[in-house]
Amino acid sequence: EAWLKFSKAYSSIADHLAPFQEPARRRSDKGEYWWELRACNYYEAFDQSKIFWPEIAKLPRFSWDSEGKYINNKGFFISTTDTTLLGILQSRCLWFAVSQICLPLRLRAGLWQYQMWVQFVSRLPIPDGLTADREAIGNLAMSITEAAKVRYSLHRRARRRIQSDLGTPDKTLNQKLTAWWDLDFPAFRAELQKVFKRDIPLKQRDEWEEWLAEQRAQHARLTADIVRLETALNARVYTLFDLTPAEIQVIEDSTKYKYGEV
């Protein structure tokens, strides 16, 4: 009866799964029915505030979620209400620790990518500190999060307009057009011609040049704000670890990524 209901509601999925019925019945990790996954024992954790990070990263990619988002098996998360932890994890101090603890995989654009498995990340040092210091780090972490969200929204809006107004249905933005903020107007037009085999009509060029300049300026302002906040956050975390100027210099020299990276 359950299979009949399932087949009626999701016929294409049922047609795909039917040939695998016998081996699926022998699984030890099935749910109530053979076509179901085993129930996850931490579903409710996805509804809570948490810190996400990817399986592989070449710079700090810890991010805050309080909107009930999910991830697949290429990411991990910690359920927490502690925004200070986010700030510490996003710092250069902790990325230096990542470089000493996590498994290095390969060099990409001059930066090592690391395997960020739980067994490595769980060993990262998290210092205690005065409440005022921890609150300041948490506030900076959330300010960076909000600025990054605004910048990401700008990226998406600009990409949608480029694709819808200047693109073609059979092509998508290439890597350079995706990072449109790095292109001046001549380079922007050149990439459009390369990808979509078309140019901006002459009568629209002034408008597009002005639009691109405005978007790039907004991106630069948001990035400058993120850089300022990240610089302040790292200074706070250096103090939390009670590091000397020489120790700070070692970390700065070893962690090559720029502040404000997209």
Side-chain angles (χ1 to χ4, degrees):
E1 183 182 356
W3 175 252
L4 290 174
K5 290 181 178 179
F6 176 72
S7 301
K8 184 176 181 180
Y10 307 104
S11 58
S12 60
I13 298 176
D15 290 343
H16 174 77
L17 291 177
F20 307 103
Q21 180 174 165
E22 288 310 311
R25 286 184 182 279
R26 294 194 295 270
R27 288 188 303 132
S28 61
D29 61 345
K30 61 180 179 289
E32 184 177 357
Y33 303 107
W34 64 263
W35 60 88
E36 293 181 331
L37 296 175
R38 178 179 57 197
C40 175
N41 64 0
Y42 54 88
Y43 273 136
E44 67 281 357
F46 285 107
D47 296 327
Q48 301 166 10
S49 60
K50 53 192 172 293
I51 297 172
F52 283 129
W53 74 91
E55 179 184 7
I56 298 171
K58 63 179 181 179
L59 65 159
R61 290 299 191 193
F62 298 92
S63 59
W64 185 261
D65 173 62
S66 56
E67 300 173 358
K69 288 185 170 62
Y70 285 70
I71 51 172
N72 62 16
N73 63 348
K74 296 302 180 183
F76 305 94
F77 73 93
I78 301 170
S79 293
T80 182
T81 59
D82 185 7
T83 57
T84 302
L85 178 60
L86 173 66
I88 295 172
L89 289 170
Q90 274 292 109
S91 70
R92 285 191 181 274
C93 281
L94 265 289
W95 194 249
F96 178 78
V98 164
S99 73
Q100 307 302 305
I101 293 173
C102 295
L103 180 67
L105 293 178
R106 52 188 170 258
L107 274 171
R108 283 289 184 271
L111 297 174
W112 275 100
Q113 290 184 328
Y114 294 96
Q115 195 93 54
M116 304 289 289
W117 289 342
V118 170
Q119 60 261 44
F120 302 134
V121 174
S122 62
R123 293 168 54 198
L124 294 175
I126 306 298
D128 294 324
L130 298 175
T131 300
D133 293 331
R134 294 180 61 82
E135 286 181 354
I137 290 171
N139 290 337
L140 284 165
M142 295 312 293
S143 294
I144 294 168
T145 296
E146 292 307 312
K149 284 182 179 180
V150 173
R151 186 174 67 173
Y152 181 63
S153 179
L154 172 68
H155 292 173
R156 294 187 65 185
R157 289 197 308 272
R159 288 168 186 156
R160 280 199 299 268
R161 188 183 178 198
I162 294 167
Q163 181 72 54
S164 63
D165 293 4
L166 299 174
T168 57
D170 60 323
K171 298 286 185 180
T172 58
L173 305 186
N174 66 0
Q175 192 170 11
K176 289 187 176 179
L177 285 173
T178 298
W180 51 264
W181 54 88
D182 290 330
L183 302 174
D184 60 18
F185 191 61
F188 180 69
R189 285 180 57 200
E191 290 303 316
L192 289 172
Q193 293 170 29
K194 182 190 301 183
V195 176
F196 300 116
K197 312 302 180 188
R198 62 198 298 184
D199 197 0
I200 300 173
L202 182 60
K203 63 181 180 180
Q204 297 179 15
R205 286 178 194 168
D206 287 346
E207 176 193 347
W208 273 100
E209 184 171 12
E210 182 179 349
W211 175 84
L212 181 63
E214 289 174 353
Q215 305 310 302
R216 293 183 70 201
Q218 188 174 352
H219 179 274
R221 287 192 296 271
L222 288 167
T223 300
D225 193 34
I226 292 171
V227 169
R228 176 183 61 80
L229 292 166
E230 286 182 343
T231 303
L233 182 143
N234 277 281
R236 284 278 187 173
V237 177
Y238 287 146
T239 301
L240 202 63
F241 274 95
D242 195 24
L243 299 179
T244 67
E247 290 167 337
I248 292 171
Q249 192 62 52
V250 169
I251 292 172
E252 292 281 341
D253 291 342
S254 299
T255 53
K256 302 293 187 181
Y257 66 89
K258 300 176 182 176
Y259 289 123
E261 285 280 4
V262 174

